[in-house]
Amino acid sequence: MDSTFRRTGNIHLQDLIDGLLSGNRAFLSKAITLVESKRSDDKKLSAELIDQILKPTNKSFRIGITGVPGVGKSTFIEAFGKMLTAIGKKVAVLSVDPSSNRTKGSILGDKTRMDELSKDPNAFIRPSASGSSLGGVAHNTREAILLCEAAGFDVIIIETVGVGQSETLVKDMVDYFLLLMLAGGGDELQGIKRGIMEMADHILINKADRDNLKAAKRAREDYKNAVHLFPPNEAAWEVPVGLCSAIEKTGVKETWGEIEKFLSQTKSNGWFDENRKRQALKWFHERIQARLEDHFYSKPEIKQEIKKREELISSQKLSVRKAVDELFKD
Ligand code: GDP
């Protein structure tokens, strides 16, 4: 039994690739696990895997969905995802939670989130990517997106689970960024910073149902006014502010309608491709930085050398400039 065979979960890399390309969800799952692995032999296999599946077709559409916990993200994704599979789309849902480690991630996975969607043969749901750093989580998620696309999923939803750090991270890997809000919470209460609202391509007020409908309509007007004051976005896109009820499934189709408008507008004005190009280049430079850091910190003596200089700097016996120069002296 060769190591390739063992490390891909008892299947040969070529079979894994063939299974993935045929759209098999179990193989897709195995492939994502492989690219998330930190083992150096797995990294070699992952590189080969990514290399072989990479045929950039720009056919898929990547949507980021954010909002504070409790706003209704998973309920919305379930309704939205089901609506999309009903019109013939294949939908993958990945989540990003920088604060999670493997254990917490699996608790989330165990929770019966998106129960119906997870049973849908045209849907694939994967709980949070793990990673020891924000950059690591982002990198793993980006590769998972590529794998989902290779497996034929045409709408990829990236849900942010953590609040605060994950929004920028997700914004940099999606074509469209949807912000779910609640009526009546007040922006501060909702923990949504102005910067996050400015990043959004779409603001959707969820739970616009029952006793809450009136307040939701009022909030829509407020947010519409707020959006008008934001600087124009590079996509030349007028950010829609909509209402929906993920539970009653209202406003869900309309949301897709807006997204299709965005798609046709940004594909014809060139923004769609430009944005993907910029994202790929940013990713490339982030990886260079991560590699440099890894390379530097993996030197056997480096920790001790840093510690020594920390003490000298604290007692003002060494300047920061000199300390750094010394560390980089070969
Ligand atoms: P998440 O933490 O953002 O993923 O939020 P969830 O989808 O888990 O929803 C949090 C709670 O809000 C759950 O109890 C849902 O049933 C409820 N909820 C979600 N969407 C709606 C909605 O459109 N209307 C109402 N009334 N409740 C909702």
Side-chain angles (χ1 to χ4, degrees):
M1 196 193 296
D2 65 28
S3 70
T4 310
F5 184 73
R6 277 201 319 276
R7 297 302 311 147
T8 50
N10 292 350
I11 35 177
H12 287 285
L13 185 63
Q14 195 52 53
D15 292 336
L16 180 65
I17 293 170
D18 293 344
L20 172 76
L21 294 176
S22 76
N24 181 303
R25 291 182 295 174
F27 282 60
L28 172 57
S29 221
K30 278 192 208 298
I32 295 178
T33 305
L34 180 69
V35 300
E36 283 180 351
S37 169
K38 289 196 189 71
R39 292 175 51 128
S40 59
D41 45 354
D42 286 350
K43 282 186 178 162
K44 274 192 211 121
L45 286 178
S46 303
E48 210 177 310
L49 168 68
I50 295 285
D51 210 42
Q52 291 207 36
I53 54 113
L54 197 62
K55 279 180 285 155
T57 56
N58 285 7
K59 267 196 195 144
S60 69
F61 189 53
R62 307 165 184 172
I63 306 173
I65 296 186
T66 194
V68 293
V71 70
K73 289 182 296 297
S74 38
T75 315
F76 175 78
I77 293 170
E78 167 120 309
F80 186 64
K82 288 295 288 178
M83 183 273 299
L84 289 173
T85 57
I87 59 169
K89 305 276 179 201
K90 285 186 76 181
V91 181
V93 182
L94 306 171
S95 54
V96 165
D97 182 0
S99 64
S100 99
N101 51 35
R102 182 53 86 192
T103 340
K104 281 197 216 146
S106 60
I107 290 170
L108 257 182
D110 291 343
K111 217 170 92 177
T112 39
R113 301 172 93 238
M114 307 174 210
D115 194 33
E116 266 185 67
L117 191 60
S118 62
K119 289 183 199 133
D120 192 318
N122 287 316
F124 173 78
I125 299 178
R126 173 92 179 183
S128 306
S130 63
S132 49
S133 63
L134 271 185
V137 172
H139 177 65
N140 286 342
T141 311
R142 281 177 156 134
E143 291 204 324
I145 292 176
L146 297 179
L147 295 173
C148 290
E149 291 174 350
F153 287 86
D154 31 28
V155 180
I156 321 285
I157 296 173
I158 319 291
E159 177 197 15
T160 65
V161 179
V163 218
Q165 303 169 302
S166 36
E167 290 85 358
T168 333
L169 211 126
V170 169
K171 171 78 181 172
D172 281 343
M173 59 177 87
V174 296
D175 307 307
Y176 196 79
F177 198 53
L178 177 69
L179 171 63
L180 287 182
M181 299 281 278
L182 294 172
D187 295 351
E188 316 80 63
L189 259 183
Q190 293 189 38
I192 296 292
K193 303 218 172 66
R194 186 191 152 100
I196 293 168
M197 278 186 70
E198 285 189 15
M199 272 189 240
D201 295 301
H202 196 145
I203 293 174
L204 195 55
I205 300 157
N206 190 34
K207 308 197 186 180
D209 49 42
R210 306 169 209 170
D211 298 346
N212 207 25
L213 185 57
K214 243 176 149 177
K217 285 183 175 165
R218 266 201 313 272
R220 178 173 54 181
E221 293 316 304
D222 291 345
Y223 287 127
K224 269 188 182 165
N225 291 332
V227 161
H228 277 305
L229 300 174
F230 291 163
N233 58 41
E234 288 183 286
W237 169 247
E238 205 172 306
V239 175
V241 182
L243 295 179
C244 86
S245 166
I247 280 202
E248 294 183 357
K249 300 182 173 57
T250 54
V252 178
K253 265 202 185 117
E254 290 78 356
T255 301
W256 179 243
E258 292 289 353
I259 294 176
E260 284 189 307
K261 244 195 270 172
F262 175 89
L263 252 178
S264 88
Q265 184 182 315
T266 58
K267 287 217 163 166
S268 61
N269 73 11
W271 171 252
F272 188 92
D273 291 335
E274 172 63 25
N275 188 39
R276 284 218 175 169
K277 211 170 10 177
R278 285 192 202 176
Q279 290 176 338
L281 291 178
K282 197 168 174 192
W283 182 14
F284 173 51
H285 288 283
E286 277 169 18
R287 291 320 292 167
I288 294 178
Q289 293 212 351
R291 274 287 176 97
L292 284 173
E293 256 186 48
D294 284 352
H295 181 70
F296 178 72
Y297 289 110
S298 65
K299 290 181 191 161
E301 293 294 300
I302 202 71
K303 274 204 183 105
Q304 227 179 329
E305 294 294 321
I306 290 177
K307 187 105 196 101
K308 233 188 321 187
R309 283 167 184 79
E310 276 176 356
E311 280 157 21
L312 293 169
I313 289 169
S314 304
S315 54
Q316 300 189 333
K317 287 183 186 131
L318 181 66
S319 71
V320 168
R321 173 194 286 263
K322 185 124 194 274
V324 174
D325 281 348
E326 285 172 3
L327 288 174
F328 280 90
K329 201 166 55 198
D330 278 322

